[in-house]
Amino acid sequence: MTSRRRATGPVTLKQVAAAAGVSVATASHALAGRGRMTDTTRARVQETADELGYVANSLARGLRTGRAQAIGIHHQSSAAALATPYFRDFLAGAIETAHRHDLDVVVLSSDASQPRATTPRVDGVVVVDPIGDDLRARELMEMPVPVVAGEHVPPQMSQCAVVAADHETAVRAVLDAAAAHGARRPLLAAPDAHSGWGILLRDIVARWCAEQGTTPVLVGTTFGDRSVARHRTLLEPVLAAHPDVDLVLGASSFVVRGAMEALRAAGRVPGSDVLVAACADETALAAEDPPVTAVELPAHALGVACVERLVALVEGDEDPVIAARTVRTVPAPVHLRASTAGDLLARRG
Amino acid sequence: MTSRRRATGPVTLKQVAAAAGVSVATASHALAGRGRMTDTTRARVQETADELGYVANSLARGLRTGRAQAIGIHHQSSAAALATPYFRDFLAGAIETAHRHDLDVVVLSSDASQPRATTPRVDGVVVVDPIGDDLRARELMEMPVPVVAGEHVPPQMSQCAVVAADHETAVRAVLDAAAAHGARRPLLAAPDAHSGWGILLRDIVARWCAEQGTTPVLVGTTFGDRSVARHRTLLEPVLAAHPDVDLVLGASSFVVRGAMEALRAAGRVPGSDVLVAACADETALAAEDPPVTAVELPAHALGVACVERLVALVEGDEDPVIAARTVRTVPAPVHLRASTAGDLLARRG
């Protein structure tokens, strides 16, 4: 505290206004660079504020308490993601939980083509679906505030506390159901090494195959690619090269629909002579012919759990060093449908 | 700028760390009140920062530019409202638009039972559905930043720029359709004087009735009350007292469903001997028997338009004094359904 400050606290806007001979409203507008006044008035208020060592109130309070009473939510492309039920449900869960703790939620703009001069004023950040080549996410994850990732973090990003769906249990349930119908040779098409989720899915399928004495066919896709046609083009040559594939697991509904088109073009019958499943459910999948088995990602519960964990870190209720090495999971229900019910054993005779 | 600052800009965290003899990370944690260090170290960093006149980077930058690069969104009960398609769609439109302008969106916590020590650090605020007895909304609307209300402002709040659905055109279309089927005596149950929307609805119906040489029955409800049973209880005595009512207009689906229960209990047949319509559509209304005529509130378009108008005010592209007196409207489609198609003229003979 310097000698220019009152003993009882920082200089108030009222004091600045009185010293500059203007109303509080004018002083406020002058310092915010708004309102209608002469340049002389504006300059006089600014000089008075500088002389008195005035810092705008909310900022001064923020500096005193060290808390912004706000958390940030980042998604690689949040504006586009708002069209998806997943991000809307996640956001609803996150906001409900933050508001229960009386925290504002800052939905951070994610346009990486517009560099930001400022860092967000938040007590912590949730990074939804961290993707390795998302430079803004990487910046946020290196800020000196707690960070929780909503899904697994790829190796090229700073490790942090993770809250994720329990993909392992769910994907194994799908694999086991398909195996019970005779599937032996899975193909997995899932996001590439920029996605911690994609890495995990490959790992789960590879370990399951090793246990069964078989090997998977693994195909890398781009996280967030919503083109059915691109996935069909990607998968056609792979399916042609591996005619023994009898189970196609796609990370998203877009991968699965591309795969079904590719399979049909090759004269195969999804759900009958080849089984198909998705690692992330969408309404469209239940309406496919045949309806497609899928893992339901619990978006709302993940939003809740991410914010609860972030609050625990901000409040110091969880050790940050241990937190950065631990993953909390949320159950992910599996919807078994006709696409994995074809009897491959009977067909093999 | 005081003499303690470098000529080229404010003191950096790096300079504070060097002067205090600690790493940049330690200095950052010390000033944020986090991390693990002795009290002596934390105090030394704080003293060094005070001596050098250091202000945390993002804040310093904010003070320089006068912009937070963020806008606030307030709703009387935003956590609960997230369960409704209206607020989710509004929020999606608002976030998409703000992010197009590279602005963060702060979804403000609205628990009025928890007083806030700080004002949010935003360049402007959108108040969704302003309600007169929402004290936090009133505080926000008196902040020295631009405010846009998403819906009409009741008289007890500060007037500001408004973006609203075009209720006038839509409700008149419903009234005209009902009149063509013989309706002469409307009852309107809509939010009370705390709601600018409720006031407007009453005004629209009263003026339409005056033009037709009739008078409406007007009933005040509580904005946001989602109980069908309470609305039934409220409306039963009113309907008994006014047996000549031949059109019931309810503000929400909850009002309408309560009204239909009250009408049936009185031996009347909605859609046949009494017409029914809602001023705000919800999926449930099309599934009622009979399906209920309703005005579709364009939530997503309102979210977009509110943020576009707020940006224009923040950028100085719209005159704030004129803006505070003008309402911009967004078209609200009308869905005419069986509940207003009963032929009252034929029944009267």
Side-chain angles (χ1 to χ4, degrees):
Chain A
M1 189 95 10
T2 76
S3 59
R4 299 177 310 186
R5 304 258 174 98
R6 295 183 303 163
T8 50
V11 175
T12 65
L13 183 59
K14 205 170 158 185
Q15 293 174 304
V16 172
V22 297
S23 71
V24 172
T26 301
S28 168
H29 282 112
L31 295 175
R34 296 194 198 87
R36 293 181 164 185
M37 64 194 75
T38 62
D39 287 349
T40 319
T41 303
R42 200 184 297 279
R44 187 171 75 244
V45 174
Q46 186 62 63
E47 277 161 27
T48 309
D50 286 347
E51 273 165 34
L52 294 175
Y54 172 77
V55 180
N57 222 6
S58 60
L59 302 187
R61 284 168 172 158
L63 289 170
R64 276 216 305 280
T65 65
R67 287 280 172 83
Q69 279 294 102
I71 59 167
I73 306 269
H74 171 85
H75 185 285
Q76 176 182 230
S77 47
S78 46
L82 280 166
T84 67
Y86 181 85
F87 189 53
R88 283 193 184 206
D89 289 349
F90 185 100
L91 207 53
I95 293 170
E96 284 163 25
T97 309
H99 286 196
R100 252 200 318 278
H101 292 280
D102 195 33
L103 297 167
D104 296 339
V105 172
V106 187
V107 185
L108 297 164
S109 178
S110 54
D111 183 350
S113 70
Q114 307 218 37
R116 274 291 175 93
T118 59
T119 50
R121 177 143 167 68
V122 292
D123 300 321
V125 174
V126 174
V127 175
V128 189
D129 286 331
I131 300 300
D133 53 1
D134 176 357
L135 298 182
R136 190 157 281 178
R138 289 168 75 161
E139 264 175 41
L140 290 168
M141 291 167 83
E142 279 151 25
M143 278 173 58
V145 294
V147 176
V148 169
E151 275 308 324
H152 296 267
V153 178
Q156 62 271 46
M157 297 180 111
S158 303
Q159 295 306 297
C160 65
V162 170
V163 173
D166 183 0
H167 303 289
E168 172 106 27
T169 304
V171 171
R172 277 183 169 268
V174 171
L175 290 166
D176 290 341
H181 287 88
R184 290 172 188 167
R185 173 78 156 144
L187 176 152
L188 170 71
D192 58 26
H194 289 302
S195 158
W197 175 48
I199 294 170
L200 176 67
L201 289 177
R202 260 187 292 282
D203 182 51
I204 293 167
V205 172
R207 278 187 285 113
W208 182 88
C209 284
E211 288 162 23
Q212 310 284 318
T214 177
T215 53
V217 177
L218 300 173
V219 182
T221 64
T222 302
F223 181 85
D225 185 348
R226 297 169 70 83
S227 161
V228 171
R230 263 196 302 276
H231 288 115
R232 173 185 169 160
T233 307
L234 175 72
L235 290 171
E236 269 177 344
V238 184
L239 288 165
H242 300 280
D244 56 335
V245 164
D246 51 15
L247 167 64
V248 176
L249 264 182
S252 72
S253 70
F254 305 96
V255 181
V256 164
R257 283 151 64 203
M260 299 220 293
E261 286 189 8
L263 288 165
R264 288 195 173 105
R268 302 190 67 181
V269 185
S272 180
D273 61 9
V274 56
L275 307 186
V276 175
C279 303
D281 203 9
E282 288 211 29
T283 317
L285 290 174
E288 284 289 323
D289 179 22
V292 177
T293 288
V295 175
E296 180 187 328
L297 299 183
H300 187 278
L302 285 168
V304 171
C306 281
V307 171
E308 288 294 2
R309 192 163 195 196
L310 186 61
V311 170
L313 285 165
V314 169
E315 300 289 340
D317 295 339
E318 191 179 350
D319 183 287
V321 177
I322 297 170
R325 285 189 300 236
T326 50
V327 175
R328 294 246 183 93
T329 58
V330 175
V334 173
H335 300 283
L336 293 176
R337 301 186 181 117
S339 71
T340 48
D343 193 344
L344 301 180
L345 291 170
R347 294 181 71 92
R348 284 200 194 97
Chain B
M1 189 96 12
T2 75
S3 59
R4 298 178 312 188
R5 302 259 173 98
R6 294 183 303 164
T8 50
V11 174
T12 65
L13 184 59
K14 203 169 160 186
Q15 292 173 304
V16 173
V22 297
S23 71
V24 172
T26 300
S28 168
H29 281 112
L31 295 174
R34 294 198 198 85
R36 295 183 164 184
M37 64 193 75
T38 63
D39 289 348
T40 318
T41 303
R42 199 183 298 277
R44 186 172 75 243
V45 173
Q46 186 63 61
E47 278 162 26
T48 307
D50 286 347
E51 273 165 32
L52 294 177
Y54 173 78
V55 179
N57 224 6
S58 61
L59 302 186
R61 285 168 172 159
L63 288 170
R64 275 214 306 278
T65 65
R67 289 279 173 84
Q69 280 291 105
I71 60 167
I73 307 268
H74 170 86
H75 185 286
Q76 177 181 230
S77 48
S78 47
L82 280 165
T84 68
Y86 182 85
F87 189 53
R88 283 195 184 204
D89 289 350
F90 185 100
L91 208 52
I95 293 172
E96 284 163 25
T97 310
H99 285 196
R100 253 201 317 278
H101 291 281
D102 195 34
L103 296 167
D104 295 340
V105 172
V106 187
V107 185
L108 298 164
S109 178
S110 52
D111 182 351
S113 70
Q114 307 217 37
R116 274 293 175 92
T118 58
T119 50
R121 180 147 165 64
V122 291
D123 300 320
V125 174
V126 174
V127 175
V128 189
D129 286 330
I131 301 301
D133 53 1
D134 176 358
L135 298 181
R136 189 156 283 178
R138 290 168 74 161
E139 263 176 40
L140 290 169
M141 291 168 83
E142 279 152 25
M143 278 174 57
V145 295
V147 176
V148 170
E151 274 309 324
H152 295 267
V153 177
Q156 63 270 46
M157 299 179 108
S158 303
Q159 296 303 298
C160 65
V162 169
V163 173
D166 182 359
H167 303 290
E168 172 105 27
T169 304
V171 171
R172 279 182 167 268
V174 171
L175 290 166
D176 289 342
H181 287 89
R184 291 172 188 166
R185 174 77 156 145
L187 176 152
L188 170 70
D192 59 25
H194 290 302
S195 159
W197 176 48
I199 294 170
L200 177 68
L201 289 176
R202 259 186 294 282
D203 182 52
I204 293 166
V205 172
R207 278 187 286 115
W208 183 88
C209 283
E211 290 162 22
Q212 311 284 320
T214 179
T215 54
V217 178
L218 300 174
V219 183
T221 64
T222 301
F223 181 85
D225 185 350
R226 297 169 71 83
S227 161
V228 172
R230 263 196 303 275
H231 288 114
R232 173 184 169 160
T233 307
L234 175 73
L235 290 171
E236 268 176 344
V238 185
L239 289 165
H242 300 282
D244 59 332
V245 162
D246 53 13
L247 166 65
V248 177
L249 263 181
S252 72
S253 70
F254 306 96
V255 182
V256 164
R257 282 151 64 204
M260 298 220 294
E261 287 188 8
L263 288 166
R264 289 197 173 104
R268 303 190 68 181
V269 185
S272 180
D273 62 9
V274 56
L275 308 187
V276 175
C279 304
D281 202 9
E282 287 211 31
T283 318
L285 290 173
E288 285 289 322
D289 179 22
V292 177
T293 288
V295 174
E296 179 187 327
L297 300 183
H300 188 277
L302 285 167
V304 171
C306 281
V307 171
E308 288 293 1
R309 192 163 194 195
L310 186 61
V311 169
L313 285 164
V314 169
E315 300 287 340
D317 294 340
E318 193 179 351
D319 182 287
V321 177
I322 297 170
R325 286 189 301 237
T326 50
V327 175
R328 293 247 184 95
T329 58
V330 174
V334 173
H335 300 283
L336 293 175
R337 301 187 180 116
S339 70
T340 49
D343 194 345
L344 301 179
L345 290 170
R347 294 182 71 93
R348 287 200 192 99

